[in-house]
Amino acid sequence: NFMVTQPHSVSESPGKTVTISCTGSSGNIASKYVQWYQQRPGSAPTTVIYEDKQRPSGVSDRFSGSIDSSSNSASLTISGLKTEDEADYYCQSYDNNNHVVFGGGTKLTVL
Amino acid sequence: EVQLLESGGGLVQPGGSLRLSCATSRFTFSSYGMNWVRQAPGKGLEWVSAISHSADSTYYTDSVKGRFTISRDNSKNTLYLQMNSLRAEDTAVYYCAKGINTQWLVIDYWGQGTLVTVSS
């Protein structure tokens, strides 16, 4: 079954840029859309990137998404880090059976 | 703004049943695929089930197949999850999540969740 893998945690200082990776287990991740969700402590998830690189209205342009076919991975990049960006981030794609697949989540610490 | 409001969670004994509802508003419910996603305490997100906009297709993760049933009433703008034969490992916050089109594979909006606790 198709899976996506993320690092458990990343940390960076305010004002800096951080990138979170999401690697597909097989096939070509570029052939499926990848989404990214932010979940702050005690809150429901919200969508920050959909369809690889699209930003929902209201999401800061400090958030961007990309795909690297050579490494079969997707990335979420957050620039100009703020303390409010501290949260768990989940990537999501889907398998050939139309089942939604989530990564294990990455805890972002802004310190 | 799209609204998704889950209800029906609570404490239930192992082997028991619960029916979750997700009341929706401010979008044309019948045009969008929908999902249920759960999160066990301290754990990550886990996809549970999905249904197409017209209810002609439904999908389940293996661990709930045969125990859970997803359905929708497009006349009431409401999504449901019937959960039978509940187990301790089903304990989680259950989120209703909207697809961006007739399918469910890309989520754009999430509800606030309802907590299901399976315990004796």
Side-chain angles (χ1 to χ4, degrees), chain B residues 1-4 22-34 72 77 96-99 108-109:
Chain B
E1 171 97 346
V2 165
Q3 291 195 341
L4 308 172
C22 173
T24 75
S25 59
R26 301 186 183 177
F27 68 101
T28 306
F29 179 68
S30 60
S31 295
Y32 295 90
M34 300 291 294
R72 62 191 298 159
N77 298 327
C96 165
K98 172 186 168 292
D108 59 357
Y109 287 96

Side-chain angles (χ1 to χ4, degrees), chain A residues 79-95:
Chain A
S79 60
L81 274 170
K82 302 181 178 182
T83 55
E84 68 200 48
D85 297 330
E86 191 161 284
D88 293 325
Y89 291 86
Y90 295 89
C91 67
Q92 176 258 310
S93 190
Y94 39 90
D95 65 20

Side-chain angles (χ1 to χ4, degrees), chain A residues 37 39 44 47 51 92 98-99, chain B residues 39 60 100 104-105 107 111:
Chain A
Y37 307 110
Q39 187 177 34
T47 303
E51 292 181 346
Q92 176 258 310
N98 288 325
H99 290 192
Chain B
Q39 187 171 36
Y60 301 91
I100 65 163
W104 51 91
L105 299 173
I107 294 168

